[in-house]
Amino acid sequence: MKNQILLDCDPYYIASRIKEVDENYFIVYNRNRNTFELHNSSQKDNSYALTIPYDTLDERTIFLARKTRKENFDKLIKEMDEDNQKLQNSKIKDAVEQIKEVIT
């Protein structure tokens, strides 16, 4: 934790509100990577859970913590699969349109 700063207060109280999602959650600021990280003290060996992809702590952090909880794993995988399928269908449609333009 030499290059990490434990956050126990912030303007929107995210560091304390995160405990409502899971009492074992805590947030650190990683000085090496200039990022916020969510950690879980109940995990064995390593408390790291995820890197928060935002420059500031706000309501999105709480939403992300809820969304990525272990209990939501199956739902999250299903969402990712559906999004990937939509993206693949879109790429196929674009490719077909390009082929039609070349042919005609």
Side-chain angles (χ1 to χ4, degrees):
M1 294 259 304
K2 187 176 184 180
N3 293 312
Q4 296 175 331
I5 302 169
L6 177 63
L7 300 179
D8 53 8
C9 64
D10 59 272
Y12 300 112
Y13 303 100
I14 301 301
S16 59
R17 291 173 53 204
I18 203 78
K19 301 270 186 206
E20 295 170 8
V21 177
D22 187 313
E23 64 184 22
N24 297 308
Y25 280 168
F26 62 97
I27 297 175
V28 300
Y29 183 76
N30 185 319
R31 289 191 273 182
N32 287 344
R33 297 175 49 207
N34 294 323
T35 58
F36 295 103
E37 296 175 349
L38 180 65
H39 288 252
N40 187 329
S41 62
S42 69
Q43 292 179 174
K44 291 184 178 185
D45 299 327
N46 187 346
S47 65
Y48 174 82
L50 61 88
T51 297
I52 298 167
Y54 315 117
D55 293 336
T56 59
L57 293 178
D58 55 30
E59 186 65 29
R60 297 172 299 173
T61 303
I62 302 295
F63 178 78
L64 181 65
R66 283 192 179 111
K67 182 176 181 177
T68 58
R69 285 184 51 85
K70 183 173 32 173
E71 292 82 11
N72 297 328
F73 178 77
D74 291 336
K75 182 179 176 183
L76 186 58
I77 294 298
K78 183 179 178 184
E79 277 181 35
M80 290 169 55
D81 287 343
E82 288 171 357
D83 289 345
N84 286 339
Q85 187 63 49
K86 287 177 187 175
L87 183 60
Q88 183 176 2
N89 290 346
S90 175
K91 287 185 177 187
I92 290 170
K93 183 179 176 183
D94 290 345
V96 168
E97 291 299 320
Q98 288 178 355
I99 291 169
K100 284 181 181 178
E101 288 178 13
V102 170
I103 292 174
T104 57

